[in-house]
Amino acid sequence: MVTGIAANPRDTNGLTPPNTNNIEWWSDYNVPDMPILDFTTMRASATATSTLNFRTNIAAGPAIRCTGFAATHGTCQTGSTPHTTAANHSPAGTTCHFFDANDHASSKLNRLWYWDNDVIFSGDMTASAPGGCHRLGLYGTVIVRGNMTVDNGDCYSYVGPVPANAWREYAKLTTASNDTAVANQYPADNGFQTNRLTFNHGGETWTGGPIAANTDVGFRGFVYVGGALTLNSLTDIAGTVWVVGNTVNNDTSGERVNVFYEGNNPNIPLLNVVLARVTWDEIPASNIAW
């Protein structure tokens, strides 16, 4: 049941109608079952595309590798030798260390990335990073069975889809609504109860939002973390995030982590069939014989 707050109470009578304001549905509806992810199939997919347990501290890694990472997350530099890290970022054991995901050859190909255990995403956070932005930028499905740590900012700029009814997320009952005739009150806002169908991540912003360059993202797609998600540096996400454990935000920039909407549902293999009600209209039986 969605009870809201004093200024916007929403459902005040439990399961007794009305249970909606014709924009949001508050109570008395069935919640679909949680999906059961087919990890075996997804792991096989990552094996086929060389995106299984990827790490950059091996000889087969890309030319750009991390050669030093301070606790301040500000001195990670590019180099041509396998990286060495401070003790609190050691890639020892089963922890994979992925440096500069944005510049990986497959990072924008909508691949499936799979890690059996923990993974640390790092990058060059210096203002004078040679050759562009060497940080985080992955498009596809990210499956981490252990803990995931983000130790660098994001770099992925693109024009992405926005659902036609995205404005409903910003509708309120109160007169002090944050969806009015004024445009640009939220990403892709195009006025009262309407929004544009695309948004330029990394190229535009909204009223009260970050500068346009900071609306780029680190992940685009579906992200699953079987353990804990730790954010040591701000990174935005476009799509869906599922964290089984705790989420810890250690970023001190003062900005919030944005999870943007995407138009398509994640196309991932499941072991169960999840049925959800998509309409509340009753369709009467037809008198016409089949």
Side-chain angles (χ1 to χ4, degrees):
M1 184 176 69
V2 180
T3 57
I5 58 177
N8 186 20
R10 294 177 175 167
D11 198 352
T12 59
N13 58 0
L15 300 182
T16 303
N19 297 310
T20 179
N21 64 345
N22 296 319
I23 295 177
E24 297 175 296
W25 198 272
W26 298 321
S27 61
D28 193 23
Y29 61 93
N30 295 324
V31 177
D33 295 332
M34 290 288 288
I36 301 176
L37 304 183
D38 187 351
F39 293 114
T40 300
T41 298
M42 289 189 288
R43 193 179 191 279
S45 176
T47 300
T49 56
S50 299
T51 52
L52 173 67
N53 293 326
F54 183 83
R55 61 197 302 158
T56 50
N57 59 328
I58 56 176
I64 300 175
R65 301 185 181 91
C66 188
T67 59
F69 202 89
T72 58
H73 312 111
T75 59
C76 187
Q77 302 296 323
T78 59
S80 58
T81 58
H83 76 274
T84 57
T85 63
N88 61 334
H89 290 93
S90 174
T94 58
T95 300
C96 290
H97 201 113
F98 194 171
F99 175 75
D100 189 19
N102 185 62
D103 283 323
H104 189 280
S106 299
S107 64
K108 309 303 185 298
L109 299 181
N110 198 8
R111 295 281 172 82
L112 196 152
W113 300 80
Y114 191 107
W115 284 270
D116 287 312
N117 298 289
D118 300 346
V119 62
I120 298 173
F121 291 95
S122 64
D124 191 337
M125 293 294 289
T126 60
S128 58
C133 185
H134 303 298
R135 301 180 187 176
L136 180 57
L138 280 180
Y139 173 33
T141 299
V142 175
I143 303 294
V144 180
R145 302 299 302 274
N147 302 316
M148 186 171 84
T149 302
V150 176
D151 272 337
N152 68 133
D154 42 38
C155 264
Y156 186 15
S157 298
Y158 72 101
V159 177
V162 178
N165 61 350
W167 62 267
R168 291 176 178 264
E169 292 295 321
Y170 301 89
K172 293 183 179 179
L173 283 175
T174 62
T175 55
S177 172
N178 61 347
D179 181 27
T180 69
V182 179
N184 213 37
Q185 294 175 296
Y186 57 86
D189 178 22
N190 201 32
F192 181 60
Q193 295 189 356
T194 181
N195 57 264
R196 293 181 287 107
L197 298 182
T198 60
F199 180 77
N200 187 351
H201 297 275
E204 63 177 307
T205 185
W206 60 96
T207 303
I211 62 173
N214 287 351
T215 62
D216 55 3
V217 301
F219 296 103
R220 178 189 179 191
F222 176 71
V223 178
Y224 171 88
V225 182
L229 171 61
T230 301
L231 302 174
N232 291 329
S233 185
L234 187 69
T235 187
D236 296 323
I237 300 169
T240 307
V241 185
W242 182 355
V243 181
V244 176
N246 295 326
T247 299
V248 179
N249 183 12
N250 294 325
D251 177 67
T252 59
S253 67
E255 295 188 31
R256 62 191 176 199
V257 177
N258 293 300
V259 180
F260 296 96
Y261 29 60
E262 275 279 11
N264 299 321
N265 293 323
N267 184 20
I268 53 178
L270 303 176
L271 295 176
N272 63 334
V273 177
V274 179
L275 300 178
R277 176 178 261 176
V278 297
T279 179
W280 298 97
D281 295 331
E282 180 180 355
I283 301 176
S286 172
N287 294 325
I288 301 175
W290 286 11

